[in-house]
Each structure stands twice: as C-alpha cells, then as structure tokens.
Amino acid sequence: MRHQKKGKILDRAKGSREALLKNLASSLIMHEKIKTTVAKAKVLRPIVEKLITAGKVNSLAVRRKLLAYLPASGATKKILEVLGPKYQERKGGYTRIVKIGPRKGDGAEMAQIEFV
C-alpha cells in the first residue's frame, strides 16, 4: 500500500529518477524554460520552487546546499545572483506550466515549464 507516500515514481528506479530530476532542475534554471512531459513538469515544479526560495538568502550554507543538489555549478551561481534577488519580494509560485499538446512520436502530453 502507498498510503502517505508523496511524489511520483515516473516509471524509473530511484537513482535514475533522482538524476533525471536534478538534471531537469539544472536545465530549467540555466535556460529559464524547458519543454518536457506534463508528469515530469509537475514533479519538477516543487523541487525548483524550493531551490529558488533557498536562493533568496545568499549565504555559504545555502550555496553549499545548492551545490550538493545541482550538478551544474553555473545553476547555483544563477540562483544566488539572478533568480534569488529577482523573486525576493515574491512569496512563491515562481514557475508556470503551459500545456503544448501531444508529442508527435508517442502522443505523450507535453508541457513547457518556465519562470514567471
């Protein structure tokens, strides 16, 4: 039984799922919008929002936390220098998911996740 279990499995093993989400988060931060499936976008949104919220405080502890999670150090730098100050006054809701229709190959529902 999956009572009280949060999060989606995305039909992957734990290690590959974590790597996928870290790379998606890093790509979203670096490019500020990415195209992915709706399921992946919905799982990615709370992860990125927590990273941005942490990045509002530019401290060594936060920098180390972000470096430990994100594979690209440029993403950490961008959170602390660009995105954190940009959303300083905003209390949350830094991303939006826009559905863009089915993928041509397999019909998977696609979405674009971007910063507001």
Side-chain angles (χ1 to χ4, degrees):
M1 286 185 276
R2 292 194 73 245
H3 296 221
Q4 301 277 323
K5 304 289 185 193
K6 290 200 289 187
K8 296 289 181 188
I9 296 173
L10 297 175
D11 199 26
R12 285 171 171 77
K14 183 176 187 279
S16 60
R17 180 175 61 247
E18 287 177 354
L20 170 81
L21 292 173
K22 287 179 181 186
N23 287 317
L24 279 174
S26 183
S27 294
L28 177 60
I29 290 162
M30 294 303 291
H31 302 292
E32 297 198 7
K33 65 179 174 180
I34 57 171
K35 201 167 23 169
T36 184
T37 63
V38 173
K40 289 177 191 171
K42 285 181 178 181
V43 173
L44 180 63
R45 174 187 255 172
I47 294 169
V48 172
E49 299 223 352
K50 287 173 188 168
L51 294 174
I52 299 295
T53 301
K56 287 182 177 182
V57 180
N58 193 353
S59 68
L60 182 60
V62 170
R63 181 176 298 272
R64 287 179 176 164
K65 177 182 175 183
L66 294 174
L67 283 170
Y69 187 79
L70 295 170
S73 59
T76 299
K77 186 175 180 183
K78 186 165 183 179
I79 286 177
L80 293 173
E81 294 177 3
V82 178
L83 298 175
K86 179 180 176 182
Y87 296 115
Q88 193 68 43
E89 299 300 317
R90 195 174 177 102
K91 294 195 188 291
Y94 314 114
T95 58
R96 81 168 55 104
I97 297 174
V98 180
K99 294 182 181 178
I100 55 176
R103 185 163 47 198
K104 192 165 191 157
D106 61 356
E109 192 65 35
M110 297 297 287
Q112 180 171 312
I113 182 167
E114 60 192 12
F115 288 112
V116 175

